[in-house]
Amino acid sequence: MPQYSKDGVTRRMCASAHLDDDFAFEVDRDLTGDRLDAIGLTLGVNMVALARHTRVAVRRRAALDARLTALGALLVIAVFALLSGLVSGNGTVVQSGFYSALGVLAITWWLVHHAESRARAAAQQVFRGQGKAEELAPPVEPEAEAWLHELKRANVLPYVDAAALDKPFVGSGHIQLGKVVVWQPIDVSKPAEAPGGGTLPILPFDAIDLHTYVARQMESISGLDGLRARNRLYVLGSHACLLQELVPDRTRRPRAQIPKQLVQAGLHQPGAAMRTHLCLERVGEGGRMVVSMYVRAILNRPSLSWEVAVYAIPPLGPRFHRVERLPVAPFDRWRSLVAHATLRLWPELSGAPGRIKERGRQRRRSAKFLRKVRRDITRQHAVYDYGATDSLRERYGDWNHAGHNELADAADFLNRLQQGVLTATERFLKDHNIDTSSFDKAQQIITQTYNINNVNGPSNIGPGGQINNPGGPQGSGPPGQPGGGTPPAKP
């Protein structure tokens, strides 16, 4: 059967960059602009490819606006000459001004038509093409690309201080249980019985060993091919500067990777607002849905428990589906481009100076903000919040576009992840000669039901009580509400 492309979301976002100027400028600024705060995780999106295509789109729009601004000035001169000729009664001046104005409008029409034609061709090439998306656009700055490549394997993420109260896992979507859950404690001090009588010696272990075992076994236990399991240190944004390896230069953005010893230390000995979680991330078909489970082993002997939080991100919103509706038949494509150039001729021509001015104002405002912050950091030793506020994948998701199949798959993923963690934990305890009777009792009440847009998924782990989701996401809503948006990014 036909399958969704694995990089479908990346291609759709890259194509949209060519068709949506606001999206292109926003993403270009986020991925390659000068900044101090971190950005969210990739979550199934090839950020390098996206950065390259947004840069192409930004440069094309900037070049078009520069030409249109010059043509607008010529149009003003031509109109002024036309009016002067009419007042003075000089027919030659009137004729010259009229044809000059007409020529300016004709050139403007052709430029708008040509730019839109190139944008649509680039969008369709990356959306339907066979090559890799990142190979269809030229590279951006080497430093920016190196940082984005590093982000693919991020083992640390500073989160904005405002998210500390309810959602340190920024950019992961909507929480599916309404809260973080701590599972029933398990007694790990009792040795297992030996086959011939007596007891077996308990093999020593720590939380790092348990995390490593679960990470290695989860894909095969859960049956979720392509499951990404990684230990990641989550750091409160205002505390990121305490880790020199994370913020080697306090006037630059934090790194996406740190030595693994620090990641392990965040699990074995959590620091000031720094904890390591095992991040289990599963991207659905074509990247349409993303589900994540964040677990942390709490080993305070003689008991072991798991801290668990689960999240889901819906498919992309409607603004990313325009590429599918572009006409491809020669006549239809020609007619659509002619209509676009004709209808957009005056708005493009008259609005070009304002667009250039607004982009310049944004750059100056951002540069002024960064200069002030860096001055405060170096001169006054000010504490800055380096935390990320969201992720691009979360920002543009829309629950109204999550169909039954996507919701059912998401519920299945979450249930498999939950059951997989419990199964891996049981096997780990048995491998270390620990009696699992306490685990069996705890498992009976670790039964959770996920409700993703009214698609329920019982975990089938035990017959005990259930912790129901008090309210799953119910479509798009305002920031802070289920399915709603995210807080605005920093300047």
Side-chain angles (χ1 to χ4, degrees):
M1 296 293 291
Q3 302 291 325
Y4 285 113
S5 172
K6 292 183 178 180
D7 60 348
V9 167
T10 295
R11 290 183 178 275
R12 190 177 295 276
M13 296 182 79
C14 290
S16 297
H18 293 284
L19 304 173
D20 188 334
D21 293 330
D22 292 337
F23 172 71
F25 276 100
E26 179 181 352
V27 174
D28 182 64
R29 183 174 61 249
D30 282 355
L31 297 186
T32 62
D34 188 14
R35 62 188 299 147
L36 290 180
D37 53 327
I39 66 173
L41 302 174
T42 58
L43 296 174
V45 178
N46 185 337
M47 294 296 194
V48 174
L50 186 56
R52 291 182 177 184
H53 284 276
T54 54
R55 179 61 60 82
V56 171
V58 164
R59 286 178 174 174
R60 181 174 56 245
R61 165 49 71 177
L64 176 62
D65 283 342
R67 295 186 179 101
L68 293 179
T69 300
L71 287 172
L74 294 177
L75 181 62
V76 171
I77 296 173
V79 171
F80 180 78
L82 176 63
L83 295 177
S84 299
L86 290 174
V87 172
S88 63
N90 190 330
T92 303
V93 175
V94 171
Q95 187 178 19
S96 176
F98 174 77
Y99 283 114
S100 296
L102 189 62
V104 168
L105 293 177
I107 296 174
T108 300
W109 186 93
W110 183 85
L111 286 175
V112 174
H113 178 282
H114 182 64
E116 180 67 11
S117 177
R118 291 175 57 200
R120 293 187 182 186
Q124 290 178 328
Q125 181 187 32
V126 67
F127 185 66
R128 306 180 190 278
Q130 299 299 320
K132 295 182 179 180
E134 63 184 87
E135 296 176 352
L136 300 177
V140 296
E141 296 81 2
E143 299 79 8
E145 290 210 354
W147 186 67
L148 293 174
H149 276 297
E150 191 177 76
L151 188 63
K152 293 180 181 179
R153 301 175 298 276
N155 63 358
V156 61
L157 180 63
Y159 57 92
V160 65
D161 286 12
L165 295 178
D166 56 355
K167 186 186 174 182
F169 310 105
V170 292
S172 300
H174 183 80
I175 190 167
Q176 292 302 311
L177 292 177
K179 58 183 179 181
V180 176
V181 175
V182 178
W183 284 348
Q184 185 77 7
I186 302 167
D187 185 2
V188 293
S189 63
K190 183 179 180 181
E193 295 182 359
T199 58
L200 296 172
I202 295 179
L203 301 179
F205 70 93
D206 56 21
I208 298 174
D209 297 328
L210 179 55
H211 271 225
T212 302
Y213 182 89
V214 174
R216 291 176 177 174
Q217 301 296 322
M218 272 298 297
E219 184 175 4
S220 60
I221 292 176
S222 64
L224 296 175
D225 295 336
L227 177 68
R228 180 177 177 178
R230 178 182 296 275
N231 283 318
R232 186 177 298 124
L233 179 66
Y234 280 81
V235 182
L236 190 66
S238 59
H239 290 52
C241 60
L242 299 179
L243 280 179
Q244 186 176 2
E245 292 81 359
L246 175 60
V247 187
D249 183 351
R250 295 187 62 189
T251 62
R252 300 295 174 187
R253 60 191 173 190
R255 300 182 60 184
Q257 293 184 30
I258 58 175
K260 66 177 183 179
Q261 292 81 3
L262 290 175
V263 180
Q264 294 176 346
L267 176 64
H268 186 61
Q269 293 179 328
M274 303 177 187
R275 290 186 174 184
T276 295
H277 297 261
L278 176 58
C279 308
L280 308 172
E281 299 158 357
R282 179 60 160 85
V283 180
E285 290 183 288
R288 290 179 57 80
M289 289 287 293
V290 181
V291 296
S292 305
M293 174 177 282
Y294 299 91
V295 297
R296 184 175 69 93
I298 306 174
L299 182 58
N300 294 322
R301 300 185 187 278
S303 64
L304 163 70
S305 56
W306 283 102
E307 173 192 331
V308 181
V310 291
Y311 294 83
I313 300 178
L316 295 174
R319 68 190 295 185
F320 297 93
H321 292 265
R322 182 189 168 195
V323 64
E324 297 175 341
R325 301 189 294 270
L326 294 177
V328 294
F331 177 75
D332 292 338
R333 182 177 185 273
W334 173 83
R335 183 176 59 180
S336 175
L337 288 172
V338 168
H340 174 86
T342 303
L343 293 174
R344 294 293 303 170
L345 186 149
W346 182 249
E348 291 284 356
L349 182 61
S350 61
R355 290 190 294 270
I356 293 177
K357 183 178 180 181
E358 177 59 27
R359 289 195 293 269
R361 184 184 299 115
Q362 290 180 356
R363 286 193 297 268
R364 290 191 296 271
R365 184 168 57 243
S366 177
K368 181 180 178 181
F369 169 79
L370 290 174
R371 284 196 302 269
K372 180 181 182 303
V373 171
R374 285 171 172 145
R375 184 171 60 251
D376 292 343
I377 290 174
T378 55
R379 296 181 182 180
Q380 303 178 18
H381 302 286
V383 175
Y384 181 74
D385 183 357
Y386 296 89
T389 57
D390 63 357
S391 67
L392 288 177
R393 184 62 183 84
E394 177 192 58
R395 189 183 308 169
Y396 299 109
D398 188 348
W399 282 104
N400 289 326
H401 283 72
H404 172 83
N405 291 342
E406 289 79 22
L407 297 174
D409 287 346
D412 177 62
F413 294 162
L414 293 175
N415 295 323
R416 287 176 177 269
L417 290 174
Q418 175 183 267
Q419 189 165 359
V421 171
L422 287 172
T423 301
T425 302
E426 182 180 24
R427 293 181 182 179
F428 179 85
L429 296 179
K430 288 181 178 179
D431 289 346
H432 287 76
N433 299 333
I434 296 174
D435 182 78
T436 58
S437 58
S438 176
F439 172 85
D440 296 337
K441 294 178 181 179
Q443 186 174 235
Q444 294 179 4
I445 59 176
I446 304 176
T447 305
Q448 299 169 4
T449 298
Y450 300 105
N451 184 321
I452 304 178
N453 261 26
N454 297 322
V455 178
N456 296 311
S459 59
N460 297 323
I461 294 178
Q466 295 182 347
I467 304 176
N468 295 314
N469 182 5
Q474 302 295 327
S476 298
Q481 298 298 322
T486 57
K490 299 174 185 175

